[in-house]
Amino acid sequence: MQKNIIYEDKHIIVAYKPAGIATQTAKFSQRDMVSELKNYLAGRSECKDRKEPYLGLVHRLDQPVTGILVFAKTKETAASLSRQITDGRFHKYYYSVIYGTPPKEAGRLENYLYKDHRTNMSTIVEKDFPEAKKAALCYKLVKTLMVLEAMQETSLMEIELFTGRHHQIRVQMANAGMPLLGDSKYASDECRSFSREIGCRNVALCAYKLEFEHPATGKKVSYVKQPKEEIFLPFFH
């Protein structure tokens, strides 16, 4: 886990979550970021006297999604980061690889989402639908490439997420005609077939940048990690 830590001080840990690992889970046999970071902290000399180190979870990434997460090492820090998320001072940026090209090179998506707990899927609904929650993001095209062996275009998109709804990016982008590669839940049949053809097994979505005010100093900080998954690499060469 130590190799995935991007930054650490007395107040926060910024770490990179690989695809396939849950942010947090109650399943005994399954790895998750919270447990692994707690084990890392417990093994440190300054934590020897503690029964269990504190680690505050303030935001999440879906299990098949990769990217940067920040964790709080104190309750005061957790409260500060949570306030920043609520009032819009906490900024999250993602890269995604979509099937084809976007209908527009840049835009804003606003929808209302409903999470079905039975299926663990979210659906776009009307504003007055019971338990509907507003979801908003902005996107822009970074680059389009042709996969020569399949003669199919794919596009790298940058997304700024303004709300943190369940499966939000995957649902909204698919609904707007920009399905993510590797997404077996929301992508079109053509996108799913192409993903299988090129061996893309995880959702092509990476939280590559976080910006917020450091809870102790108040200074604006930014943490960036370029995606290292194979599906992203051609776009950065």
Side-chain angles (χ1 to χ4, degrees), residues 1-9 12-17 33 36-37 40-41 44 69 71 73 225:
M1 178 51 65
Q2 189 170 357
K3 67 180 181 180
N4 289 322
I5 294 176
I6 298 168
Y7 174 82
E8 180 183 3
D9 61 24
I12 62 174
I13 294 180
V14 180
Y16 188 85
K17 186 189 86 64
M33 291 294 291
E36 299 220 351
L37 286 171
Y40 159 76
L41 291 173
R44 300 269 291 276
L69 289 163
F71 300 87
K73 295 174 75 174
K225 179 77 171 179

Side-chain angles (χ1 to χ4, degrees), residues 20 31 37 106 113 124 150 182 184 199:
R31 293 174 62 196
L37 286 171
L113 302 185
I124 291 179
S184 61

Side-chain angles (χ1 to χ4, degrees), residues 159-177:
I159 296 166
E160 182 176 3
L161 191 64
F162 301 117
T163 52
R165 307 307 181 199
H166 178 256
H167 293 173
Q168 178 183 335
I169 294 175
R170 298 159 64 183
V171 177
Q172 288 192 281
M173 293 292 281
N175 182 71

Side-chain angles (χ1 to χ4, degrees), residues 24 42 49 57 65 70 98-99 104 107 122 136 141 151 155 162 203 224 232:
Q24 186 180 45
D49 296 332
L57 177 63
V65 176
V70 59
I98 67 167
Y99 180 74
K104 296 193 299 182
S122 289
L141 173 66
M151 293 303 293
S155 300
F162 301 117
V203 179
V224 178
F232 290 100

Side-chain angles (χ1 to χ4, degrees), residues 16-227:
Y16 188 85
K17 186 189 86 64
I21 297 180
T23 303
Q24 186 180 45
T25 181
K27 296 179 180 178
F28 178 75
S29 61
Q30 188 175 352
R31 293 174 62 196
D32 68 271
M33 291 294 291
V34 170
S35 298
E36 299 220 351
L37 286 171
K38 281 188 175 182
N39 289 338
Y40 159 76
L41 291 173
R44 300 269 291 276
S45 58
E46 63 265 31
C47 297
K48 291 293 186 182
D49 296 332
R50 301 182 186 178
K51 292 183 178 180
E52 182 179 343
Y54 176 85
L55 192 71
L57 177 63
V58 294
H59 66 127
R60 298 171 181 267
L61 290 174
D62 294 341
Q63 187 168 332
V65 176
T66 184
I68 304 175
L69 289 163
V70 59
F71 300 87
K73 295 174 75 174
T74 68
K75 292 182 179 180
E76 293 78 13
T77 297
S80 172
L81 292 171
S82 295
R83 284 195 297 271
Q84 292 186 52
I85 291 173
T86 300
D87 63 25
R89 288 177 291 143
F90 190 106
H91 302 284
K92 296 177 280 188
Y93 299 87
Y94 293 72
Y95 281 133
S96 69
V97 181
I98 67 167
Y99 180 74
T101 57
K104 296 193 299 182
E105 290 193 359
R108 180 182 175 93
L109 301 178
E110 288 191 5
N111 303 101
Y112 283 84
L113 302 185
Y114 166 74
K115 178 183 177 181
D116 188 331
H117 294 276
R118 295 171 300 175
T119 62
N120 194 38
M121 293 183 66
S122 289
T123 307
I124 291 179
V125 295
E126 297 296 327
K127 181 178 180 179
D128 58 356
F129 192 89
E131 300 181 42
K133 294 182 178 180
K134 186 177 180 179
L137 62 81
C138 279
Y139 69 87
K140 65 179 180 181
L141 173 66
V142 178
K143 185 186 294 186
T144 295
L145 294 177
M146 176 70 74
V147 180
L148 294 179
E149 59 268 28
M151 293 303 293
Q152 173 60 53
E153 289 181 319
T154 61
S155 300
L156 179 70
M157 310 295 292
E158 182 185 45
I159 296 166
E160 182 176 3
L161 191 64
F162 301 117
T163 52
R165 307 307 181 199
H166 178 256
H167 293 173
Q168 178 183 335
I169 294 175
R170 298 159 64 183
V171 177
Q172 288 192 281
M173 293 292 281
N175 182 71
M178 297 176 283
L180 274 58
L181 295 183
D183 189 352
S184 61
K185 288 193 172 185
Y186 303 102
S188 62
D189 290 341
E190 293 82 3
C191 179
R192 295 183 196 185
S193 176
F194 178 71
S195 297
R196 289 192 295 269
E197 183 179 346
I198 63 173
C200 181
R201 295 177 177 83
N202 289 309
V203 179
L205 182 62
C206 175
Y208 84 95
K209 182 167 68 172
L210 292 180
E211 292 180 342
F212 53 90
E213 296 174 11
H214 192 285
T217 67
K219 180 182 177 181
K220 289 185 178 180
V221 292
S222 178
Y223 300 98
V224 178
K225 179 77 171 179
Q226 182 175 305

